[in-house]
Amino acid sequence: MKKENNGMQMQKADGYEDIIHLPHHVSERRPHMPLAERAAQFLPFAALSGYDDVIRETARYTGKKIQLDESAKAVLDQKLGILSQQITEHPQICVTYFLPDEKKEGGSYVTAEGIVQKIDGFSGTIFLEDGRKIPVGDILDFFYF
């Protein structure tokens, strides 16, 4: 259908003149879908389930273990010797050590505070009274008070 407007010809673009004024169809067999369910059918589909978790895990930062030089190892050995002599007094220590990551290469440095229960020279482990085990080879530094 063509209309004239100010001397120019315009064509009606919709083409629904025959049905535009009819009432909206309501099904007699199916109930009306709630608005929340209608919206849910347009949510994005996750074709690769778990992919977001893998990306998040890959992006998670893990640090590298610091390798101590010989002088730092000697100082640490002296401190451990003094600590083992005072083990009967159950000294309280604050230790910074490397904690390996359980899921990927690397880890992070953590600081723990606790009372020393025993030092096992054979396995190279410091046992704290709260049950934590700290490998001597992973210790960066510690002090006791």
Side-chain angles (χ1 to χ4, degrees):
M1 168 186 267
K2 293 184 180 178
K3 289 169 114 182
E4 290 217 15
N5 188 5
N6 293 339
M8 296 175 56
Q9 285 189 347
M10 295 186 69
Q11 188 168 0
K12 191 141 185 163
D14 62 14
Y16 296 103
E17 299 86 16
D18 57 336
I19 62 170
I20 195 78
H21 299 292
L22 293 178
H24 178 72
H25 173 74
V26 178
S27 175
E28 295 174 6
R29 295 186 306 189
R30 300 177 194 255
H32 184 71
M33 182 183 287
L35 189 60
E37 289 180 26
R38 283 195 294 165
Q41 66 185 334
F42 297 104
L43 290 176
F45 172 68
L48 301 172
S49 61
Y51 181 71
D52 290 336
D53 295 334
V54 170
I55 294 297
R56 202 172 6 266
E57 177 63 27
T58 303
R60 188 173 56 85
Y61 177 75
T62 55
K64 293 184 179 182
K65 184 177 177 181
I66 298 170
Q67 297 299 324
L68 299 177
D69 61 5
E70 292 304 316
S71 63
K73 287 180 184 179
V75 170
L76 194 58
D77 285 342
Q78 281 182 332
K79 287 182 173 182
L80 284 169
I82 295 169
L83 183 64
S84 63
Q85 290 173 359
Q86 298 176 350
I87 199 72
T88 56
E89 300 171 16
H90 298 287
Q92 185 169 354
I93 64 168
C94 181
V95 60
T96 301
Y97 65 100
F98 185 77
L99 183 64
D101 194 275
E102 295 177 355
K103 295 185 179 181
K104 62 183 189 180
E105 187 177 331
S108 61
Y109 277 92
V110 294
T111 301
E113 205 173 295
I115 298 172
V116 178
Q117 183 179 14
K118 75 175 188 173
I119 300 173
D120 186 358
F122 183 71
S123 68
T125 307
I126 296 176
F127 294 90
L128 301 180
E129 284 189 348
D130 61 5
R132 287 182 283 183
K133 301 172 187 173
I134 301 171
V136 172
D138 292 340
I139 294 176
L140 183 63
D141 196 13
F142 75 93
F143 62 92
Y144 45 94
F145 39 100

